[in-house]
Amino acid sequence: MTDDSTAQAPGSKIDTTRTHSARIWNYWMGGKDNYPVDRLAGDAVAESFPEIRDLARTSREFLVRAVTHLTRDAGIRQYLDIGTGMPTANNTHEVAQSIAPETRVVYVDNDPLVLTHARALLVGTPEGVTDYVDADLRDPDAILAKAADTLDFDKPIGLMLMGILGHVPDEDVQPIVRRLLDALPSGSYLVSYDGTDTSEAYNQAIEEGNKHGDVPYLLRSPEAIAERFEGLELLEPGVVPCPLWRPPIEGARRGLDQYGGVARKP
């Protein structure tokens, strides 16, 4: 990635003057698929809260454990991953298809850079399917319509909402989650996590980072995050800090300010 800070990267629709959470997250994880504006916002958070990089790592580890369980133990063979972010190691399709090569995965994002890299790098197994949808979380009907080209909505689906609902206003979170879940059959699962307001340092860091970003990220209480699982059958140990979701990381002391859970639709 170049340091070009012009309004738009040559020959693309990528606006390099505006931040994007996927590119900032990529920067925190040590990636190169970001722009100066993303690094500015990322540094603003990391300066006061260096643990943000631990949160990036432990959130990916949570994804790996959750997808492993659903694919290996619950028999899930379809995933709808909304808010894909930049390709890194152990993406949803890599984890799932390493266990069940026939698994079908649809990634959703609305950033041109994310989609460009996803199409180039997120290549699945010959037996399975890996597809990409350009859509916004705030338009769940469009997501569902496009995902139906690849996924069978008569069979269980793993819905992944990983660190993305923090960008949605309070009043819109439950309607979006409900709309997506209502379209899924019994036996489907919701896997979700987001940052929590459980650390004053994290609160202050996110507040500072939001000054540089176009789409603010909202930290919520663990109780508020648990509300998105209402009406579902939560798997043990419930909604907990990501490093503590099964199997817990022994002696985990960092990366605890993100809560996540996995739940089955009855």
Side-chain angles (χ1 to χ4, degrees):
M1 185 58 57
T2 69
D3 283 345
D4 180 12
S5 58
T6 57
Q8 187 165 301
S12 78
K13 297 179 180 179
I14 301 167
D15 187 345
T16 65
T17 68
R18 303 180 65 180
T19 62
H20 191 282
S21 60
R23 299 195 302 259
I24 297 172
W25 207 250
N26 174 267
Y27 174 53
W28 284 331
M29 294 187 74
K32 298 180 180 179
D33 299 313
N34 46 74
Y35 291 99
V37 66
D38 304 306
R39 297 192 283 276
L40 178 65
D43 286 341
V45 175
E47 182 177 353
S48 58
F49 190 65
E51 194 174 334
I52 190 66
R53 292 183 174 87
D54 294 285
L55 292 177
R57 175 180 54 81
T58 58
S59 66
R60 180 50 56 109
E61 293 169 351
F62 168 63
L63 180 151
V64 171
R65 296 196 302 277
V67 172
T68 296
H69 171 75
L70 294 187
T71 308
R72 183 187 61 203
D73 303 325
I76 296 297
R77 296 295 182 266
Q78 303 186 105
Y79 289 90
L80 178 57
D81 189 335
I82 303 176
T84 305
M86 290 295 180
T88 56
N90 295 318
N91 300 286
T92 297
H93 78 284
E94 292 173 320
V95 178
Q97 292 177 355
S98 70
I99 299 168
E102 71 275 19
T103 300
R104 307 169 76 86
V105 178
V106 172
Y107 289 107
V108 180
D109 212 296
N110 66 337
D111 181 84
L113 183 62
V114 170
L115 293 168
T116 297
H117 281 261
R119 292 190 175 102
L121 300 176
L122 299 183
V123 179
T125 60
E127 302 93 331
V129 176
T130 307
D131 203 359
Y132 320 94
V133 168
D134 183 359
D136 194 304
L137 175 62
R138 293 166 293 185
D139 190 358
D141 288 329
I143 290 174
L144 293 168
K146 294 177 181 179
D149 292 337
T150 301
L151 304 180
D152 183 350
F153 279 77
D154 290 326
K155 297 179 180 179
I157 293 172
L159 173 62
M160 315 289 290
L161 295 172
M162 310 293 273
I164 188 67
L165 290 171
H167 293 292
V168 176
D170 290 339
E171 63 273 16
D172 294 336
V173 171
Q174 289 304 95
I176 288 173
V177 173
R178 288 302 112 194
R179 177 67 189 95
L180 292 168
L181 286 172
D182 285 347
L184 306 185
S186 174
S188 295
Y189 285 82
L190 171 62
V191 183
S192 187
Y193 79 84
D194 265 301
T196 55
D197 58 3
T198 45
S199 162
E200 185 56 35
Y202 193 22
N203 292 339
Q204 294 177 2
I206 290 297
E207 181 178 351
E208 180 62 29
N210 284 340
K211 295 177 183 178
H212 300 273
D214 292 305
V215 181
Y217 188 80
L218 306 174
L219 297 178
R220 297 188 168 99
S221 68
E223 292 77 17
I225 291 177
E227 288 177 0
R228 67 189 60 167
F229 297 97
E230 287 182 354
L232 306 177
E233 300 169 349
L234 261 174
L235 275 58
E236 293 293 338
V239 180
V240 297
C242 288
L244 304 185
W245 198 85
R246 61 165 103 170
I249 298 174
E250 290 294 331
R253 294 291 183 270
R254 297 174 67 86
L256 299 179
D257 295 309
Q258 288 181 146
Y259 277 59
V262 180
R264 181 182 182 274
K265 181 176 178 180

